[in-house]
Amino acid sequence: MIKNSFIPVISKKKEEENPGSVEFQVVNFTNKIRRLTSHLELHRKDFLSQRGLRKILGKRKRLLSYLANKNQIRYQNLINQLGIRESQIR
């Protein structure tokens, strides 16, 4: 599993920012998404984990659309730092 590879990003964010900030929450959701994705590669029929993954993806998408509407520069920096693609904002 990919559990320990993303801890430095979280620890760096904790020192710099508020744990309630949008960026921090998106980083946490991204780490959970990556862990669940690696879990689902091994356990394809774990439907409860699939449901949890979809819920976390929706939460992250809503936070990213909020950040894109509020501050486009912070949004672009976060997208580039995490290496995730831009969401299609409706």
Side-chain angles (χ1 to χ4, degrees):
M1 296 199 53
I2 309 174
K3 195 169 197 175
N4 294 328
S5 63
F6 300 104
I7 291 176
V9 174
I10 291 176
S11 63
K12 184 174 79 169
K13 283 287 187 183
K14 279 185 182 177
E15 295 169 359
E16 294 176 359
E17 295 184 19
N18 181 7
S21 70
V22 176
E23 289 92 348
F24 186 84
Q25 291 179 39
V26 170
V27 168
N28 279 341
F29 285 143
T30 303
N31 290 336
K32 286 181 185 180
I33 288 167
R34 290 182 177 156
R35 273 199 325 249
L36 278 173
T37 304
S38 66
H39 169 77
L40 288 172
E41 287 174 357
L42 296 174
H43 309 283
R44 295 189 188 277
K45 293 190 176 185
D46 189 355
F47 299 114
L48 292 177
S49 292
Q50 287 178 11
R51 181 175 184 261
L53 177 63
R54 285 193 300 267
K55 288 180 80 168
I56 293 172
L57 283 169
K59 288 179 185 180
R60 184 179 76 173
K61 182 179 176 183
R62 285 191 300 272
L63 281 172
L64 285 172
S65 71
Y66 167 78
L67 187 61
N69 290 333
K70 284 297 223 183
N71 191 340
Q72 190 68 29
I73 296 169
R74 284 173 49 196
Y75 171 75
Q76 288 297 329
N77 290 339
L78 185 63
I79 293 293
N80 293 334
Q81 178 187 6
L82 293 176
I84 55 179
R85 61 182 175 197
E86 267 187 69
S87 63
Q88 300 295 325
I89 301 172
R90 296 179 187 181

